[in-house]
Amino acid sequence: MSLTIDQKARATMHGNDQGTYTLPTNGLYPYQWNWDSAFAALGFATFDVNRAWVELETLFSGQWDNGMVPHIIFHRESAGYFPGPREWGTKTVPPTSGISQPPVAATFTRAIYASDPASGRSRVEKLFPRLLRWHRWFWRHRNEDGLIVVNHPWESGRDNAPEWDEAMANVDTSGVGTYSRNDTSHVDPHMRPSKEDYDRFMAIVAAGRACGWDEEELTRNGPFRVADPGMSFILLRANRDLMALAEELGEDSGEIEGWIRIQEAALPRLWNPQLNGYDALNIRTGNFAGSMSSASFLNWYGGIENPQAMAEFRRITAAVPFAFPSHDPASPRFEAFRYWRGPTWGMINTLIGMGLEEMGHHGEAEALRTSTASLIEKSGFAEYFNPMDGQPAGGMDFTWTAAIWLAWASPNRHRKAG
Ligand code: GLC
């Protein structure tokens, strides 16, 4: 008997399941990653809601005293991964990286809670204060007048995207020395960030380590500080969901509402008229990146309507057979196979699709969902896909691709798993 895609998705998640957290995929990513885990929780909630809560609880077990939830938690030593605990040098227990990742957790917590409020109530009551502390950390340390910044491209979750090129070019790599990375032994180097990019990634890590990950110091003098439409829209959305959770729990929501108002007022500053799109803005130089990416279209997910963005969204969707590419195919920097410089990512499609649906763009949302489903039917649970021919790329058997199949792309997504 051949397995259905739903069954294969669950098997993929089980295959990466470590009991209390889930690997993005075995081999390439041997630890717990922040937003990967939140997506995993969303997937688990379609067939095992208790396991979904455990995933989120384990993620928050790595929360720092200052409220940050790190982008990687090194629960168990794994020799094959670079940069590991030693390079990050955070001195935390468990060891972690020194930066965060896009906060989708509050949004998915709310969705998982809504799917089964009776069993979720006590779990949400415990998670809420932790989510609030994390969002406060963002507000204190990643907020530039209401725009949300990243201190490392990895913090955005879109590692080598063209929106970081300008700011990365200013990162001094003279002190980096030699090192050997491991990612290119797992997948084709053509699909991974280049050596120059990697040197700069490591230089920013070294700067954080050198000051003991002192946020005040990094805010003032860190080598990289760029306002990101992705982070800004995702936190705005997460704040809306956190506020709804606060109201549900009878907690005071005034502080969160204040953040939302400030973010809403600030976001037009990320609109680059030359690009006709939301763009990354380098805080150190005041320059726009000039990059239209998939994150430029998270405005609906953030609850913000924009007819010009819709026109661009339609143009790009029509330009590729398998939307939505991570970079504008009309740009000379577009590369169909290189990671965040062109490929289509199912989990970003999910966020864009959720936003479109909620803001009444049902046709666009449904087209994006069915095109994502067709990619997975054709090419499996790949890390990402070539938007031109739908070929799978990066690692295979990826947790978040399986999870979003179950929670969003599958035709059976509204049915409870038997
Ligand atoms: C890469 C991706 C990042 C993801 C991680 C684990 O670094 O860019 O978004 O969280 O892999 O899948």
Side-chain angles (χ1 to χ4, degrees):
M1 191 191 80
S2 70
L3 295 179
T4 65
I5 303 181
D6 287 20
Q7 288 168 326
K8 284 187 197 158
R10 292 193 280 270
T12 297
M13 295 191 62
H14 284 312
N16 293 329
D17 186 356
Q18 303 296 294
T20 55
Y21 66 95
T22 313
L23 308 178
T25 190
N26 257 307
L28 185 60
Y29 299 111
Y31 300 109
Q32 182 174 28
W33 261 257
N34 187 322
W35 68 336
D36 297 67
S37 250
F39 279 100
L42 201 64
F44 278 128
T46 66
F47 63 99
D48 183 352
V49 77
N50 177 58
R51 182 65 189 78
W53 291 119
V54 169
E55 185 78 25
L56 291 168
E57 287 156 4
T58 311
L59 174 62
F60 278 85
S61 74
Q63 185 165 34
W64 284 19
D65 291 343
N66 69 2
M68 185 181 77
V69 182
H71 104 289
I72 309 175
I73 307 176
F74 303 109
H75 292 289
R76 271 196 295 263
E77 183 71 49
S78 173
Y81 186 79
F82 182 89
R86 209 156 40 91
E87 287 75 27
W88 287 99
T90 60
K91 305 192 179 82
T92 52
V93 182
T96 70
S97 68
I99 55 170
S100 199
Q101 242 188 350
V104 290
T107 299
F108 296 171
T109 296
R110 184 183 176 199
I112 295 165
Y113 175 58
S115 76
D116 188 353
S119 77
R121 182 79 189 191
S122 62
R123 319 298 280 266
V124 168
E125 282 171 358
K126 288 203 200 78
L127 269 179
F128 175 80
R130 298 190 146 232
L131 287 162
L132 182 61
R133 285 181 52 224
W134 187 24
H135 287 211
R136 276 190 187 134
W137 173 87
F138 269 108
W139 204 247
R140 208 165 292 145
H141 301 300
R142 293 294 184 272
N143 166 17
E144 292 280 347
D145 299 321
L147 300 178
I148 308 304
V149 301
V150 290
N151 275 4
H152 192 301
W154 288 341
E155 197 158 63
S156 73
R158 306 187 316 282
D159 304 6
N160 65 332
E163 43 273 31
W164 318 129
D165 288 358
E166 188 253 3
M168 283 283 267
N170 298 330
V171 173
D172 175 11
T173 57
S174 53
V176 167
T178 56
Y179 57 90
S180 84
R181 51 198 275 206
N182 286 69
D183 58 323
T184 42
S185 64
H186 290 283
V187 297
D188 182 343
H190 287 105
M191 299 180 186
R192 299 291 304 180
S194 64
K195 156 97 173 110
E196 295 70 40
D197 280 343
Y198 230 85
D199 283 353
R200 293 182 177 122
F201 292 151
M202 294 317 298
I204 307 173
V205 171
R209 196 180 53 224
C211 71
W213 300 101
D214 175 342
E215 295 290 7
E216 315 287 319
E217 166 62 18
L218 291 169
T219 297
R220 273 191 309 270
N221 300 318
F224 189 94
R225 199 156 167 94
V226 181
D228 174 21
M231 210 49 135
S232 297
F233 289 129
I234 289 171
L235 184 68
L236 173 56
R237 169 56 186 266
N239 279 331
R240 296 189 201 283
D241 292 309
L242 192 66
M243 186 169 148
L245 287 174
E247 283 162 0
E248 170 76 19
L249 297 174
E251 302 277 345
D252 180 25
S253 59
E255 177 185 9
I256 309 169
E257 194 176 358
W259 298 338
I260 294 171
R261 297 293 156 256
I262 294 171
Q263 283 197 273
E264 285 175 338
L267 267 159
R269 286 173 31 228
L270 287 188
W271 184 264
N272 177 349
Q274 261 107 50
L275 186 71
N276 201 36
Y278 291 107
D279 198 3
L281 181 70
N282 187 347
I283 298 297
R284 301 281 184 245
T285 61
N287 292 334
F288 272 124
S291 171
M292 196 174 280
S293 74
S294 47
S296 306
F297 299 95
L298 288 171
N299 56 293
W300 299 288
Y301 178 78
I304 295 194
E305 195 46 89
N306 188 314
Q308 283 166 284
M310 181 52 87
E312 296 291 341
F313 179 80
R314 292 196 177 119
R315 171 182 67 78
I316 292 178
T317 300
V320 298
F322 296 96
F324 195 84
S326 46
H327 189 63
D328 183 352
S331 147
R333 290 188 281 181
F334 173 83
E335 291 178 75
F337 248 127
R338 199 184 285 276
Y339 219 36
W340 290 98
R341 304 183 76 90
T344 292
W345 294 69
M347 31 65 74
I348 294 280
N349 283 5
T350 304
L351 303 183
I352 297 176
M354 281 170 64
L356 287 168
E357 179 67 32
E358 287 159 358
M359 297 207 68
H361 301 293
H362 303 298
E364 284 79 6
E366 187 56 10
L368 190 60
R369 191 186 68 71
T370 51
S371 129
T372 310
S374 73
L375 272 173
I376 294 173
E377 282 156 9
K378 176 181 158 70
S379 298
F381 306 115
E383 186 176 9
Y384 51 91
F385 304 88
N386 182 322
M388 296 311 188
D389 59 12
Q391 286 305 304
M396 288 304 294
D397 302 321
F398 238 79
T399 293
W400 63 16
T401 312
I404 64 98
W405 169 268
L406 292 169
W408 178 70
S410 165
N412 307 319
R413 66 199 173 282
H414 297 306
R415 238 184 278 151
K416 284 266 175 212

